[in-house]
Amino acid sequence: KAGERIVVESCLKGQEVSIMCLTDGKAVLPFLSSQDHKQAYEGDRGPNTGGMGAYSPTSLVDKDMLEQIQDYILAPTVKGLQQEGITYKGVLYAGLMITESGPKVLEFNCRFGDPETQAVLPLLKNDLFDLMMATINQKLSSINRLDWRPESAACVVMASKGYPGKYNTGVKITGLQNVTDGNTQVFHAGT
């Protein structure tokens, strides 16, 4: 029966970007753009992983592009959920391809992106707790805008040799006591 139906897909050419936002089911508040790198080895070589690093913001998404993404992708998605009787409150993460004809949706996730979040949130000046409470209480429209540090951030993932295939476990992590510059943060996952 599977052969009785076909799916026709377009080949999208461009670069991927991630746009995370908060929504309280009505309002949408987008975060800075980010771009992650999934391949395990330098030079975009090797197998795909969950993400070996990310940076934010990306020059692929300027102010006009972000408004276009807000108006033609994020807000209509929340409106579509409303029309289905769904009041979604939380993080909406759009994986987009920036093509010659504009942004195209590759995927949506109902979570923060990893490792993109590690590059985006350190730039946020607003209190994340206040933003989350406004999301829960459907008061995002009372927040005029998000305030961002005028810097860039990068996240570099360190993984055990062999990742994402068979890799060593139980390897001691050393050197964390040397991270003292105030601009570097260490996040752990699977350690």
Side-chain angles (χ1 to χ4, degrees):
K1 289 193 171 192
E4 294 175 6
R5 212 169 139 191
I6 64 168
V7 175
V8 178
E9 296 181 349
S10 298
C11 177
L12 299 177
K13 294 182 181 179
Q15 290 191 49
E16 285 188 48
V17 297
S18 301
I19 300 289
M20 296 175 282
C21 67
L22 291 175
T23 180
D24 59 8
K26 297 184 284 186
V28 177
L29 202 55
F31 287 4
L32 288 176
S33 63
S34 59
Q35 188 173 39
D36 74 326
H37 295 274
K38 294 175 176 32
Q39 291 182 295
Y41 310 133
E42 290 185 32
D44 291 328
R45 297 185 330 267
N48 274 351
T49 69
M52 295 304 297
Y55 68 95
S56 178
T58 171
S59 62
L60 295 169
V61 179
D62 60 14
K63 183 181 175 195
D64 292 337
M65 176 73 71
L66 188 58
E67 285 179 16
Q68 183 181 0
I69 291 167
Q70 165 86 359
D71 294 343
Y72 296 104
I73 295 173
L74 301 175
T77 298
V78 171
K79 186 175 183 181
L81 289 168
Q82 288 172 342
Q83 292 169 346
E84 295 286 328
I86 299 168
T87 302
Y88 176 73
K89 298 178 186 180
V91 177
L92 191 60
Y93 159 38
L96 307 173
M97 181 74 75
I98 306 300
T99 70
E100 286 183 4
S101 60
K104 306 291 181 191
V105 176
L106 297 175
E107 64 176 336
F108 278 111
N109 292 284
C110 296
R111 60 171 172 80
F112 280 114
D114 178 24
E116 297 93 336
T117 303
Q118 290 90 323
V120 172
L121 286 186
L123 299 174
L124 181 65
K125 286 181 170 181
N126 302 72
D127 188 317
L128 184 60
F129 177 81
D130 292 341
L131 295 174
M132 292 299 192
M133 291 307 293
T135 299
I136 292 166
N137 295 315
Q138 289 191 307
K139 296 191 182 221
L140 273 182
S141 61
S142 68
I143 298 171
N144 295 333
R145 65 184 177 90
L146 294 177
D147 291 320
W148 299 99
R149 289 179 173 75
E151 297 138 356
S152 297
C155 169
V156 177
V157 173
M158 296 175 66
S160 201
K161 186 175 181 173
Y163 176 82
K166 187 174 181 177
Y167 58 91
N168 296 327
T169 60
V171 178
K172 186 174 182 179
I173 299 170
T174 62
L176 296 180
Q177 69 279 4
N178 298 327
V179 180
T180 59
D181 68 7
N183 289 318
T184 303
Q185 297 179 35
V186 176
F187 301 98
H188 288 269
T191 59

